[in-house]
Amino acid sequence: SCRSAPGDASFPSDDAWGALHASISGHLVTAVPSGQFCKDRGGCTDKEWTRVVFRANVPGVNSQFVLVRLIHQKFACVIRPGTASKKNVPLYAVLATSANDVGIAFAKTYNPRLAVKASGHDYLGRSTARDSLLILTHLLQNVSFYEDYKIGILSQGSAVTVGSGVLLNKLYQDAQADGKIVVGGTAGTVVAAGGYIQGGGHSAISPLLCLALDNVLQFKVVTGNAEVIIADETQHSDLFWALRGGGAGSWGVIISATFRTFPTFDGTVSSILNATFGNIMGLHAKHIFDMDDLRPAQYFYAYRNATSEYQLNLGMATFFPNFSADAATSAMLNVIVANEGTIGSQSVQEMNFNDAVTSTDDGVESNLFMGSRLFPEAVYRDSPNATYTKLFEAGSIAVLGHLVAGGKVTENYAYIDSAVHPKWRSAKTHMVLVAWPADSIDLSFVPFLKTAFQMVQLPIMEEVIGSDAGSYSNEADSTEPNFQTTELP
């Protein structure tokens, strides 16, 4: 049935909202737009306005500007608007501090629209909703390490239980202090026990240690029936299956999750900017298997050269686990030099890998439209030259590649049964196409940008990868028409 909305006879009265406020120790607050929030506090600096750590603490505010654009075809409030629309944010937010005050029983009774926000690091706008009751888990900050975590009588090895408000930038450093590392993303404001794990969770150490979902051991979750349960392989196993890749915010409110940990290790990050050589993307695709034995991950960015619409540049950040700086430099240069290429700049840093994957904050200063697909290993083996070329011929500005599959991600297919899309197990890369319109864009052009991926770019991709390649649900097209099969198994 439809959710209860303001004006409906079934919508909670002021007295009902007051009773909820009292029942959860005063942890219910009114949500306001980000512009209004800044106005009420006497202003926000430019730095605060564009940083996720700041926005994570503002109830109802998404970390990405994309939400308001996609729904209302206009850009989000500027920093000093004074006229932000209250309709675009939740009505109230529960500042949850335990499983007992998330407000699910209230939601079950009155049926308002419900949203869950851990940090708000979400490209698809799922961590806020108009006229909703928002459950903010940002205050759930517990972190506990175990040398021998047990489920029943079975030992699971070393692990960490982490609340669904803990940012990765904290978790990585806490783990390092304990001599451990956890499989997680490279964006510091992602929450490991939030939407990240529910989408599957790719990582700079996925080729070595698999996706994050393959390393989660247990969840504590509040279900839609307002029950607090533990889900793992031995109890509520169906929910445990669904929470690992079955879609963010779909199955309950995660209070905490327990992840397998590994001994920390050193490695090298190689960053190359403005590499140019021949058929740049064809050669990159052709040589993408060259370093498989090293189990690196790579984030690569192909974009049009500013001085020539016919020339492409390539930037690469490659994460080499258990590899020295000299060896990493040699591995990267071999391909480029062999193909008579040049490098604009290169930096190589050898460090502890917890530090390598830690960023203190993330920016949201650019407008963004995106769509994505998983590119199969077979495509790179059979037709590398065609892998990206047609996308640029069709006018794509940039292609963002994530070499975070293969290796252990593929090997675990025989051992791990979860709700993540099975195409992850045969993929080599997760490819994202983006558009970054300026604030000054003619708003009549926005509807085209919203549909460009589906109408223009995707048909070209499908000529190469087929129509059933799948997509990573946390970094997908928000207008995906067949998300049930494209993003889910």
Side-chain angles (χ1 to χ4, degrees):
S1 62
C2 294
R3 297 294 184 184
S4 177
D8 293 345
S10 59
F11 196 72
S13 65
D14 289 345
D15 287 343
W17 287 112
L20 172 62
H21 179 69
S23 71
I24 58 175
S25 305
H27 292 159
L28 186 71
V29 300
T30 301
V32 297
S34 50
Q36 185 65 48
F37 178 87
C38 288
K39 181 181 179 182
D40 292 345
R41 73 193 291 265
C44 299
T45 67
D46 291 343
K47 182 177 181 179
E48 287 174 329
W49 180 256
T50 59
R51 309 310 293 180
V52 179
V53 167
F54 170 77
R55 298 172 74 86
N57 290 290
V58 183
V61 174
N62 209 54
S63 69
Q64 302 295 331
F65 294 164
V66 68
L67 175 65
V68 176
R69 295 200 315 274
L70 289 176
I71 297 177
H72 303 285
Q73 297 186 9
K74 57 186 177 183
F75 292 134
C77 310
V78 294
I79 194 165
R80 300 176 185 87
T83 57
S85 172
K86 179 67 175 70
K87 295 181 180 179
N88 296 336
V89 298
L91 292 172
Y92 297 99
V94 173
L95 307 182
T97 58
S98 73
N100 297 321
D101 61 5
V102 297
I104 293 294
F106 178 88
K108 183 181 179 184
T109 299
Y110 291 100
N111 198 34
R113 191 174 183 184
L114 199 63
V116 183
K117 174 183 174 181
S119 70
H121 185 116
D122 182 18
Y123 296 109
L124 306 184
R126 298 163 298 182
S127 54
T128 187
R130 176 176 175 170
D131 291 338
S132 68
L133 171 61
L134 174 73
I135 299 172
L136 181 64
T137 66
H138 190 61
L139 298 178
L140 300 175
Q141 290 288 320
N142 59 296
V143 179
S144 300
F145 288 91
Y146 307 89
E147 278 303 317
D148 187 18
Y149 191 79
K150 287 183 170 62
I151 295 179
I153 62 172
L154 297 178
S155 174
Q156 306 296 322
S158 64
V160 59
T161 298
V162 56
S164 61
V166 179
L167 303 180
L168 285 175
N169 56 21
K170 171 177 170 55
L171 179 57
Y172 284 140
Q173 295 306 299
D174 286 358
Q176 184 180 24
D178 199 60
K180 305 296 184 184
I181 194 167
V182 181
V183 176
T186 54
T189 58
V190 166
V191 168
Y196 171 75
I197 187 65
Q198 294 173 78
H202 65 70
S203 170
I205 49 178
S206 284
L208 179 69
L209 298 174
C210 210
L211 298 169
L213 74 91
D214 294 328
N215 291 294
V216 67
L217 301 172
Q218 195 172 69
F219 293 99
K220 183 177 182 180
V221 59
V222 182
T223 69
N225 291 324
E227 295 180 277
V228 182
I229 66 172
I230 302 298
D232 54 41
E233 292 282 11
T234 67
Q235 53 191 327
H236 302 290
S237 57
D238 53 347
L239 181 58
F240 183 61
W241 181 90
L243 285 167
R244 294 175 297 152
S250 300
W251 307 101
V253 180
I254 295 177
I255 302 301
S256 64
T258 300
F259 294 89
R260 183 179 291 110
T261 60
F262 301 88
T264 190
F265 52 85
D266 292 339
T268 296
V269 180
S270 168
S271 299
I272 293 176
L273 298 177
N274 298 331
T276 60
F277 52 94
N279 176 15
I280 186 169
M281 294 309 291
L283 287 169
H284 182 272
K286 181 178 179 180
H287 290 277
I288 204 166
F289 298 101
D290 287 5
M291 297 182 291
D292 275 6
D293 290 345
L294 310 179
R295 297 295 172 99
Q298 185 182 83
Y299 302 90
F300 56 96
Y301 314 88
Y303 50 96
R304 293 188 180 278
N305 189 299
T307 60
S308 172
E309 64 175 310
Y310 302 106
Q311 186 176 6
L312 301 178
N313 284 3
L314 179 66
M316 295 172 281
T318 310
F319 291 73
F320 292 93
N322 300 304
F323 225 58
S324 70
D326 288 344
T329 300
S330 176
M332 291 303 302
L333 288 178
N334 283 344
V335 172
I336 296 175
V337 174
N339 291 283
E340 299 182 355
T342 60
I343 296 176
S345 65
Q346 180 182 23
S347 66
V348 180
Q349 292 180 290
E350 190 172 338
M351 67 184 81
N352 178 269
F353 234 65
N354 291 64
D355 293 328
V357 294
T358 298
S359 62
T360 57
D361 204 346
D362 298 304
V364 292
E365 57 266 37
S366 61
N367 302 301
L368 176 68
F369 291 95
M370 68 189 310
S372 70
R373 282 298 185 269
L374 299 170
F375 272 48
E377 283 194 354
V379 167
Y380 290 94
R381 297 190 188 279
D382 299 339
S383 54
N385 288 330
T387 307
Y388 314 113
T389 304
K390 290 184 178 181
L391 293 172
F392 285 103
E393 290 176 349
S396 295
I397 298 172
V399 174
L400 311 183
H402 303 69
L403 203 171
V404 291
K408 198 67 175 178
V409 177
T410 300
E411 293 168 10
N412 268 16
Y413 186 49
Y415 308 105
I416 303 291
D417 183 22
S418 69
V420 76
H421 201 296
K423 291 296 183 179
W424 265 108
R425 306 302 184 179
S426 58
K428 186 63 176 176
T429 61
H430 157 53
M431 302 298 299
V432 181
L433 300 185
V434 298
W436 293 295
D439 290 343
S440 58
I441 188 175
D442 183 341
L443 296 186
S444 65
F445 192 57
V446 171
F448 168 76
L449 292 179
K450 287 173 58 177
T451 60
F453 177 74
Q454 294 291 330
M455 301 300 294
V456 179
Q457 297 167 328
L458 182 57
I460 296 172
M461 292 177 101
E462 291 182 339
E463 290 179 19
V464 179
I465 64 175
S467 60
D468 62 344
S471 177
Y472 177 46
S473 62
N474 283 344
E475 294 169 347
D477 177 12
S478 63
T479 66
E480 182 69 56
N482 300 310
F483 69 91
Q484 298 94 332
T485 54
T486 302
E487 301 171 17
L488 302 172

